[in-house]
Amino acid sequence: TFTAWCNSHLRKAGTQIENIEEDFRDGLKLMLLLEVISGERLAKPERGKMRVHKISNVNKALDFIASKGVKLVSIGAEEIVDGNVKMTLGMIWTIILRFAIQDISVEETSAKEGLLLWCQRKTAPYKNVNIQNFHISWKDGLGFCALIHRHRPELIDYGKLRKDDPLTNLNTAFDVAEKYLDIPKMLDAEDIVGTARPDEKAIMTYVSSFYHAFSGAQKAETAANRICKVLAVNQENEQLMEDYEKLASDLLEWIRRTIPWLENRAPENTMQAMQQKLEDFRDYRRLHKPPKVQEKCQLEINFNTLQTKLRLSNRPAFMPSEGKMVSDINNAWGGLEQAEKGYEEWLLNEIRRLERLDHLAEKFRQKASIHESWTDGKEAMLQQKDYETATLSEIKALLKKHEAFESDLAAHQDRVEQIAAIAQELNELDYYDSPSVNARCQKICDQWDNLGALTQKRREALERTEKLLETIDQLYLEYAKRAAPFNNWMEGAMEDLQDTFIVHTIEEIQGLTTAHEQFKATLPDADKERQAILGIHNEVSKIVQTYHVNMAGTNPYTTITPHEINGKWEHVRQLVPRRDQALMEEHARQQQNERLRKQFGAQANVIGPWIQTKMEEIGRISIEMHGTLEDQLSHLRQYEKSIVNYKPKIDQLEGDHQQIQEALIFDNKHTNYTMEHIRVGWEQLLTTIARTINEVENQILTRDAKGISQEQMNEFRASFNHFDRDHSGTLGPEEFKACLISLGYDIGNDAQGEAEFARIMSIVDPNRLGVVTFQAFIDFMSRETADTDTADQVMASFKILAGDKNYITVEELRRELPPEQAEYCIARMAPYTGRDAVPGALDYMSFSTALYGESDL
């Protein structure tokens, strides 16, 4: 094989070899071979017959091989001159690799891989050929025949070949290659079929001759590769546009569905129902909203990345569907957060209102029950006709008793007014059970009016008969007069001791505690009054016993007995320690609430500044220049990881905030940070670091796509930062001009210089905002220093595939392009209508132009 390969080149110089190790020993034919295959002249050979002359010639050949970047390991001139077969064959294989195989590269692969990939592509349409290596894949001969048929189909009738007849296939390929393609017969068909694994180097050498024989077809393959690359970019951009549209639609639909829920202000009647709404809102904040925040951030990143890719591939900017711009999504998001804020405020206000309603309703029921208990039987008592048959003394007693009742009745006027006031407040606060409250209140008021009328009527009746009565027991009267207010005081004390209370601070509970202590300080004087009243009753009893007065054992002026006074007094004494316990428990609850406030405040006062610090640090990182863009990207991603790792502290603060809300705490003097501030800051921090990472990724994309070196990128960044003195991330026109001058741009102060600078500003600031961003600066510099594919280049590539015709056919597209890329072109190319058109002709020119302009492709 090696001999045949050498002779295929040496015959161009009019000579041949028969034995490699013998014919190359003097170095003369070896030098001649190198001159033929390289097209260069070597040093003048030595013509002497001595060993030293031969070694000199071989060394000149080896030096020439080494000058081409080939490392010759363990191969020396002495071994070649001595006819060392192994060394000589190794040298020839090295020459074949360097001059016949090394320059073969398909899609940036190595020489061997490139040659194999070329074979696979060329034989891909042949179903009975499967090239995987350079040994057994070629044994049946169909691979060689397929290569010839692919490029010169008229030389072989491929349809008549059989896979089970390898000798015929191999000899057919070898004979045709030698006769029509000027490729010498380097292999023996019998050796290949009879060997389990044919020699890989021999196969590679022979196949490389086919590659070079058909190298003219490489021009078409290069053109096809360029078209595939351009189409792949277009397809990728279209997919990114579809993804953006879908993600934007989904996010806007979610916002559209969520805002009506947040704007629903339908109140609930019970605290439990409102607490459930608050819990549902917490679930929304904790579970449903965070993924949407990430989607919104990712949407902006995808949009920026897509625009960068479109700029880099000379495509027009992407304009989303109406209503789906990033600004539209930001506006919709702002509306969502506004509704969210209003909904939370409404929830908390409703909870406060229901808490107040529950307290007032319970207070109304207690006072109403006490009053109804007191009025029970009073109407029947006032309607009695007992004065008609009473003695004078009894009438006097009835009158005094009635006076005592009137005193008691007046004492209860405040309670009735309180009941009415509470009912009125419940109505104003829209209490759900107001009808029953109003009905009960109305009944109490009607009964109270009736009691007043009956009292007046009874007094008038008693006063009419008072003239007939003369005697009265002053002691009973004194007892009655003192017992009634004392009894009323005890009832009021019992009512106060059992009265419910609601407080929100330690100061408020301390105020209640102080008032209770002041009440307890009055108990000794009250006990003295109780003993004095009981003393009056005892004195009456002594008088009755002494004078044998028939008083039927009861005080005719009052129904309040010493037993009742003692019983109520004992009840008051029992209620005092219970009140103490309730106040102590409430004091402990308020202390716990204060601990929750301090705990939240301590964390919020750390997290809030931490978020602000991180925002400032990200701002500095985005304009600083340390290392390569990959180093900056790695640094930012580590920074992002550290920020994400901080999330448990935010979650812990959310938990503390939930405890505060569940404890119905509505203010916190220990911090100026609310949970809403922390949430917004945290979301902004995540969005900012993601955007900053995306900016660096786009810079890398720009750098790689435009072939900008890291040194150039560093120089651009250093110049930009130098003139960005306010660290705003942008340059004004004068700062930008100074930056360009520092990079070698000749922009004078004359009219020509001003016109050139105006042209540049129209590129970097198309919206005339008066500022230049770093991304716009990089895009401009990359456009000025790099080359990109153009519509003309793509058009020229299609022209090559079409064989210089003004149109291309479906068959040519499917033959020269991969299936997916070919079908993409067929589906989008318009029919060709020129004079030279044939049936099925497609217009590749308008297609190429549309790839770089406004179109529906």
Side-chain angles (χ1 to χ4, degrees):
T1 300
F2 288 178
T3 300
W5 183 85
C6 292
N7 284 333
S8 69
H9 294 283
L10 285 173
R11 71 180 175 211
K12 298 175 184 177
T15 186
Q16 295 279 282
I17 63 170
E18 296 182 0
N19 186 293
I20 286 180
E21 61 268 26
E22 289 298 326
D23 291 348
F24 283 155
R25 288 178 65 178
D26 60 2
L28 293 174
K29 289 187 176 181
L30 178 60
M31 293 178 68
L32 184 60
L33 174 65
L34 291 173
E35 288 182 345
V36 171
I37 62 178
S38 69
E40 301 179 25
R41 296 290 295 177
L42 274 67
K44 186 176 180 180
E46 300 286 346
R47 296 295 180 178
K49 300 294 185 179
M50 298 178 64
R51 177 179 174 82
V52 66
H53 297 143
K54 298 177 180 179
I55 291 176
S56 175
N57 291 336
V58 173
N59 272 326
K60 290 176 182 178
L62 295 179
D63 290 342
F64 178 78
I65 296 172
S67 72
K68 298 302 179 181
V70 179
K71 293 183 179 180
L72 297 169
V73 181
S74 302
I75 298 178
E78 290 81 0
E79 289 84 356
I80 304 302
V81 172
D82 291 339
N84 186 312
V85 176
K86 182 177 180 181
M87 292 299 179
T88 303
L89 292 176
M91 178 189 66
I92 297 303
W93 173 241
T94 300
I95 293 172
I96 293 172
L97 279 178
R98 171 60 184 85
F99 294 99
I101 298 176
Q102 179 174 312
D103 292 334
I104 298 173
S105 178
V106 178
E107 292 187 357
E108 300 180 356
T109 59
S110 67
K112 180 180 178 180
E113 291 172 337
L115 184 59
L116 184 62
L117 181 57
W118 178 80
C119 295
Q120 290 172 337
R121 282 189 172 180
K122 295 302 180 182
T123 60
Y126 301 87
K127 296 182 180 180
N128 53 357
V129 178
N130 183 18
I131 304 300
Q132 298 296 326
N133 49 56
F134 285 109
H135 37 82
I136 60 175
S137 293
W138 304 86
K139 285 190 66 173
D140 59 8
L142 291 177
F144 295 109
C145 293
L147 283 179
I148 296 171
H149 185 266
R150 178 64 187 272
H151 295 89
R152 297 286 300 277
E154 75 279 5
L155 298 180
I156 292 181
D157 188 354
Y158 190 85
K160 293 183 178 181
L161 301 177
R162 302 200 319 272
K163 190 175 182 66
D164 60 355
D165 189 5
L167 281 175
T168 298
N169 298 339
L170 289 167
N171 285 321
T172 298
F174 296 162
D175 293 342
V176 169
E178 186 171 36
K179 182 176 181 180
Y180 296 101
L181 303 178
D182 200 24
I183 299 175
K185 189 174 182 180
M186 302 182 188
L187 303 173
D188 185 83
E190 287 74 9
D191 289 345
I192 293 176
V193 174
T195 305
R197 179 186 169 108
D199 183 75
E200 186 175 49
K201 294 179 180 178
I203 297 293
M204 281 183 64
T205 301
Y206 190 54
V207 170
S208 69
S209 298
F210 281 85
Y211 176 89
H212 291 292
F214 298 131
S215 59
Q218 289 302 107
K219 186 177 181 181
E221 184 166 342
T222 300
N225 287 339
R226 176 186 290 275
I227 292 171
C228 289
K229 177 182 175 183
V230 172
L231 295 179
V233 170
N234 237 51
Q235 289 174 307
E236 180 184 2
N237 290 341
E238 289 176 4
Q239 185 61 49
L240 288 174
M241 294 176 191
E242 292 177 6
D243 292 344
Y244 174 89
E245 291 281 336
K246 184 178 185 306
L247 189 56
S249 298
D250 292 346
L251 185 58
L252 288 171
E253 174 62 19
W254 178 81
I255 294 173
R256 186 191 65 77
R257 293 196 314 269
T258 304
I259 287 180
W261 173 68
L262 293 173
E263 291 177 343
N264 181 11
R265 303 291 193 271
E268 298 290 346
N269 293 330
T270 65
M271 178 71 79
Q272 181 180 4
M274 286 306 298
Q275 289 283 10
Q276 182 59 49
K277 280 196 172 184
L278 181 60
E279 186 61 33
D280 293 342
F281 182 70
R282 290 196 189 108
D283 286 342
Y284 157 79
R285 272 271 181 76
R286 184 171 55 245
L287 302 176
H288 304 303
K289 185 183 177 186
K292 300 303 177 182
V293 173
Q294 293 297 322
E295 287 182 15
K296 176 176 175 292
C297 178
Q298 189 61 46
L299 190 70
E300 294 180 12
I301 290 173
N302 290 353
F303 182 83
N304 293 335
T305 300
L306 173 59
Q307 299 293 33
T308 298
K309 288 185 175 183
L310 290 172
R311 285 198 306 274
L312 295 177
S313 57
N314 284 342
R315 269 55 166 195
F318 169 55
M319 286 296 294
S321 302
E322 184 177 358
K324 296 180 184 177
M325 293 289 290
V326 173
S327 60
D328 297 323
I329 293 169
N330 286 334
N331 291 336
W333 190 264
L336 173 75
E337 293 190 326
Q338 188 65 29
E340 182 179 303
K341 180 180 179 182
Y343 187 66
E344 184 176 34
E345 292 175 353
W346 174 78
L347 281 176
L348 296 178
N349 288 334
E350 277 298 293
I351 288 175
R352 292 192 190 100
R353 184 180 70 84
L354 288 175
E355 181 190 32
R356 174 68 176 164
L357 282 175
D358 288 346
H359 171 69
L360 288 175
E362 180 60 27
K363 194 168 187 177
F364 174 83
R365 286 190 288 271
Q366 286 187 3
K367 288 185 177 295
S369 297
I370 292 172
H371 178 77
E372 288 165 347
S373 176
W374 179 82
T375 58
D376 184 38
K378 293 296 191 293
E379 289 174 299
M381 181 268 292
L382 290 172
Q383 291 173 339
Q384 288 179 357
K385 304 294 184 179
D386 51 347
Y387 53 84
E388 294 179 350
T389 58
T391 63
L392 183 61
S393 60
E394 289 172 344
I395 288 299
K396 285 287 187 181
L398 288 175
L399 184 59
K400 295 302 180 183
K401 180 180 178 181
H402 189 71
E403 290 176 352
F405 171 77
E406 286 181 323
S407 176
D408 199 8
L409 186 69
H412 280 77
Q413 178 69 33
D414 287 341
R415 182 179 292 115
V416 174
E417 292 174 355
Q418 289 175 7
I419 290 172
I422 293 172
Q424 179 62 26
E425 188 170 0
L426 286 171
N427 278 309
E428 292 173 354
L429 292 176
D430 196 20
Y431 182 51
Y432 78 99
D433 199 21
S434 288
S436 64
V437 170
N438 292 337
R440 190 172 184 181
C441 179
Q442 188 61 46
K443 183 179 179 181
I444 289 173
C445 291
D446 292 344
Q447 186 187 40
W448 184 255
D449 292 338
N450 191 37
L451 283 175
L454 290 175
T455 299
Q456 181 65 26
K457 184 177 180 180
R458 184 172 176 81
R459 166 172 280 283
E460 291 173 355
L462 289 172
E463 288 177 347
R464 282 194 304 269
T465 59
E466 186 180 13
K467 296 178 181 179
L468 302 174
L469 304 177
E470 296 178 351
T471 58
I472 190 167
D473 191 338
Q474 292 299 325
L475 287 175
Y476 271 163
L477 182 58
E478 183 181 358
Y479 172 90
K481 286 183 177 181
R482 294 181 69 173
F486 183 70
N487 181 70
N488 189 61
W489 175 85
M490 286 192 298
E491 289 181 348
M494 288 187 291
E495 182 178 349
D496 291 340
L497 288 171
Q498 296 178 89
D499 191 18
T500 59
F501 55 84
I502 177 171
V503 296
H504 295 96
T505 65
I506 290 180
E507 289 76 15
E508 291 178 1
I509 192 63
Q510 286 175 343
L512 290 178
T513 303
T514 300
H516 183 59
E517 293 299 324
Q518 291 173 351
F519 167 75
K520 290 197 292 186
T522 66
L523 290 178
D525 290 338
D527 190 38
K528 290 179 182 178
E529 176 65 12
R530 179 184 66 86
Q531 292 175 357
I533 292 171
L534 294 178
I536 294 173
H537 179 78
N538 292 335
E539 188 175 350
V540 170
S541 298
K542 290 179 182 178
I543 293 173
V544 170
Q545 291 175 4
T546 301
Y547 297 99
H548 305 289
V549 177
N550 184 16
M551 299 300 296
T554 61
N555 188 331
Y557 307 120
T558 181
T559 60
I560 302 171
T561 66
H563 178 73
E564 290 176 350
I565 290 175
N566 286 332
K568 291 180 179 179
W569 176 256
E570 185 60 30
H571 191 200
V572 169
R573 291 184 61 194
Q574 292 174 356
L575 289 175
V576 169
R578 295 180 191 172
R579 184 73 166 183
D580 288 335
Q581 181 64 28
L583 291 171
M584 287 175 60
E585 291 175 354
E586 181 60 26
H587 191 272
R589 189 175 78 85
Q590 291 302 325
Q591 285 181 322
Q592 170 65 8
N593 289 353
E594 186 67 8
R595 185 190 67 78
L596 291 175
R597 290 188 183 97
K598 290 180 178 179
Q599 178 175 313
F600 178 87
Q603 292 189 78
N605 289 336
V606 171
I607 293 174
W610 180 88
I611 291 175
Q612 182 62 33
T613 299
K614 294 301 177 184
M615 290 288 288
E616 294 171 357
E617 291 176 358
I618 292 172
R620 289 197 298 272
I621 292 174
S622 65
I623 63 173
E624 290 176 354
M625 180 181 64
H626 297 295
T628 65
L629 289 176
E630 284 76 11
D631 293 338
Q632 294 178 36
L633 185 60
S634 176
H635 183 200
L636 284 170
R637 283 178 173 158
Q638 292 175 358
Y639 207 78
E640 181 183 40
K641 184 177 181 182
S642 70
I643 290 174
V644 173
N645 289 339
Y646 200 77
K647 183 63 164 56
K649 295 185 182 296
I650 304 295
D651 294 338
Q652 181 180 353
L653 191 66
E654 284 281 10
D656 292 343
H657 180 251
Q658 181 174 343
Q659 291 183 44
I660 282 179
Q661 285 195 332
E662 290 173 350
L664 302 178
I665 299 172
F666 303 109
D667 58 355
N668 193 342
K669 64 183 179 181
H670 301 293
T671 181
N672 292 325
Y673 292 98
T674 66
M675 196 63 231
E676 182 63 24
H677 293 153
I678 299 296
R679 291 191 193 107
V680 171
W682 176 250
E683 292 172 1
Q684 289 178 345
L685 180 60
L686 291 178
T687 301
T688 299
I689 185 64
R691 286 173 177 165
T692 305
I693 288 174
N694 180 243
E695 289 174 1
V696 176
E697 289 174 337
N698 284 341
Q699 291 176 29
I700 292 174
L701 192 63
T702 301
R703 182 199 65 192
D704 294 344
K706 299 300 184 179
I708 301 175
S709 67
Q710 185 62 47
E711 290 73 17
Q712 286 178 305
M713 187 63 76
N714 288 344
E715 181 183 4
F716 294 158
R717 171 53 84 180
S719 298
F720 190 90
N721 287 350
H722 175 74
F723 292 99
D724 181 18
R725 294 182 174 87
D726 59 356
H727 304 294
S728 64
T730 61
L731 298 179
E734 292 304 318
E735 293 173 329
F736 178 56
K737 178 186 286 187
C739 183
L740 290 177
I741 293 173
S742 72
L743 291 171
Y745 273 78
D746 184 13
I747 303 176
N749 292 323
D750 53 9
Q752 183 178 355
E754 291 298 327
E756 173 62 12
F757 183 65
R759 180 190 71 83
I760 294 174
M761 282 299 294
S762 68
I763 296 173
V764 298
D765 183 21
N767 297 324
R768 298 184 180 180
L769 300 177
V771 293
V772 180
T773 65
F774 182 68
Q775 185 62 49
F777 173 66
I778 289 297
D779 288 344
F780 171 73
M781 294 305 297
S782 63
R783 190 181 300 113
E784 294 292 306
T785 58
D787 184 27
T788 59
D789 290 324
T790 65
D792 290 341
Q793 290 173 328
V794 174
M795 202 179 302
S797 298
F798 272 118
K799 194 174 185 66
I800 292 172
L801 298 187
D804 287 333
K805 299 191 300 293
N806 292 325
Y807 59 85
I808 194 168
T809 65
V810 172
E811 293 73 18
E812 288 169 336
L813 286 171
R814 287 176 174 159
R815 184 181 70 236
E816 298 298 339
L817 297 179
E820 182 181 353
Q821 307 283 10
E823 297 306 321
Y824 180 84
C825 293
I826 293 167
R828 288 164 171 77
M829 279 188 182
Y832 177 72
T833 58
R835 294 181 178 179
D836 54 342
V838 299
L842 299 177
D843 185 354
Y844 63 78
M845 294 183 184
S846 64
F847 176 79
S848 300
T849 302
L851 285 176
Y852 290 88
E854 300 289 345
S855 74
D856 297 326
L857 289 181

